[in-house]
Amino acid sequence: AFCEHYAMTPTRNNLGQSHENGSIESPHGHLKNRIEQALLLRGSTDFKSVGAYQHWLEEIVAVINCGLAAKLDRERSSLQILPPNKALDYNETVACVTSQSTIQVALTTYSVPSRLIGERLKVHLYDDRLIAWLGGEQVFISPRIRAAKGKRRARRIDYRHMIGSLKKKPMAFYRSQYRDDLLPDDNYRTLWQYFDERLEPRPACKLMVGCLALAAEYNCESALCHALLEDMQAGRIPELLALQRRFGKSPPPQPAQQVSQHPLANYDALLNNSTQEVSHAAY
């Protein structure tokens, strides 16, 4: 902020030397310490959602800013209005969709709908999400994924994007490098291990891919998993056809049709007329 009573002298920092900017980095350190202490007092780092965690952080920051409220009120009179146009809050990059229906963005692999294979997408990379555009159409949105501590790469694979190709070649699931990522959760991974132990590779893959296709097409992932776990606990191997009948939507009823049957004697009349025409044509 600008104040008429004081002359402000700009300074520069050396690139990559964050410790030189002590007036900024020191408050960051204090904030991190306060958050760490608040988590210890809370007794848990688990939150119901990202929004709940952000709200909790905002309460901590509000308490810190209370001591600066008077100074901020004095500075507001010297602040200028915000610019009319919003500043860009994302980085833009281009990603090519591979034959495996994936893109690479910031050292992270994301699966995309298979209809985009071979396309070049313009990706807007935000802090918490990424949005892909094909021309002027938004075709894909996903939460942003970052690599775990100690690793450089990460990936986010959605089985719904790849299930169309897997249905054509179920055995591709067996050797896929994304096999564990294609399974929605630990319960489905347990089910796959059960199928793999009890069945040959081909029928095991056909059953697992069929279940994933059923979950994707009819949005019954949770209910289907519950039914499969019941079969596993009972030592049974589920039948895919029975699952499709149970969780798939039944075909719509055919509308009632009223068709009046014409008299069969009309055929005799038609045949008689045809015979007479042939006889006249012979002469």
Side-chain angles (χ1 to χ4, degrees):
F2 176 78
C3 185
E4 297 180 354
H5 300 287
Y6 298 95
M8 302 180 65
T9 303
T11 61
R12 292 181 180 271
N13 293 343
N14 294 316
L15 183 63
Q17 304 298 322
S18 59
H19 64 277
E20 295 181 357
N21 195 7
S23 60
I24 299 300
E25 295 300 328
S26 180
H28 286 175
H30 294 320
L31 177 60
K32 291 179 180 178
N33 183 59
R34 284 175 178 264
I35 294 174
E36 182 179 359
Q37 294 299 319
L39 286 173
L40 291 175
L41 292 174
R42 187 174 182 270
S44 173
T45 58
D46 294 332
F47 292 86
K48 293 182 178 180
S49 63
V50 175
Y53 177 61
Q54 291 176 338
H55 179 71
W56 181 80
L57 288 177
E58 289 172 358
E59 291 180 345
I60 295 177
V61 174
V63 173
I64 298 174
N65 289 340
C66 284
L68 304 174
K71 295 181 180 179
L72 181 59
D73 289 338
R74 291 197 299 267
E75 293 288 337
R76 280 200 175 100
S77 60
S78 300
L79 295 177
Q80 299 180 3
I81 62 173
L82 294 174
N85 298 323
K86 182 180 178 180
L88 294 180
D89 56 351
Y90 60 83
N91 295 326
E92 188 172 302
T93 185
V94 175
C96 297
V97 184
T98 68
S99 59
Q100 294 181 318
S101 190
T102 60
I103 57 175
Q104 297 285 336
V105 180
L107 298 179
T108 302
T109 302
Y110 296 88
S111 66
V112 299
S114 57
R115 62 185 176 83
L116 300 175
I117 290 177
E119 301 287 357
R120 288 171 58 88
L121 305 180
K122 182 171 65 176
V123 180
H124 293 175
L125 187 62
Y126 294 84
D127 181 67
D128 60 343
R129 67 193 186 280
L130 60 89
I131 301 176
W133 300 78
L134 181 60
E137 180 185 2
Q138 178 181 314
V139 293
F140 175 68
I141 184 171
S142 170
R144 183 173 179 179
I145 303 299
R146 290 178 171 82
K149 188 176 182 180
K151 297 184 178 180
R152 295 184 66 249
R153 295 185 175 274
R155 60 193 182 196
R156 184 178 190 273
I157 306 299
D158 189 340
Y159 70 94
R160 297 174 182 86
H161 296 154
M162 300 182 174
I163 196 61
S165 300
L166 287 175
K167 285 173 63 176
K168 300 175 182 178
K169 295 183 178 180
M171 276 300 293
F173 176 81
Y174 196 77
R175 300 294 183 185
S176 174
Q177 61 177 323
Y178 303 128
R179 187 180 67 188
D180 291 339
D181 300 280
L182 285 167
L183 299 170
D185 53 32
D186 290 338
N187 287 330
Y188 274 91
R189 296 184 185 97
T190 301
L191 288 168
W192 164 246
Q193 185 178 2
Y194 174 72
F195 296 158
D196 192 28
E197 291 174 352
R198 297 294 187 93
L199 300 172
E200 294 295 326
R202 186 174 297 278
C205 289
K206 184 177 180 180
L207 177 57
M208 192 73 256
V209 171
C211 290
L212 293 177
L214 190 62
E217 186 174 357
Y218 296 106
N219 194 27
C220 58
E221 179 183 304
S222 179
L224 177 60
C225 180
H226 181 72
L228 292 172
L229 289 174
E230 287 183 348
D231 287 338
M232 185 185 70
Q233 293 171 359
R236 299 189 299 265
I237 297 296
E239 295 184 2
L240 184 57
L241 183 59
L243 293 172
Q244 291 172 342
R245 290 174 177 172
R246 178 178 175 182
F247 293 97
K249 295 180 180 178
S250 58
Q254 295 294 329
Q257 298 182 1
Q258 296 181 356
V259 179
S260 58
Q261 179 65 44
H262 57 274
L264 297 179
N266 292 348
Y267 289 103
D268 296 332
L270 179 63
L271 291 173
N272 292 333
N273 292 335
S274 299
T275 303
Q276 294 176 3
E277 291 177 359
V278 171
S279 299
H280 289 301
Y283 291 103

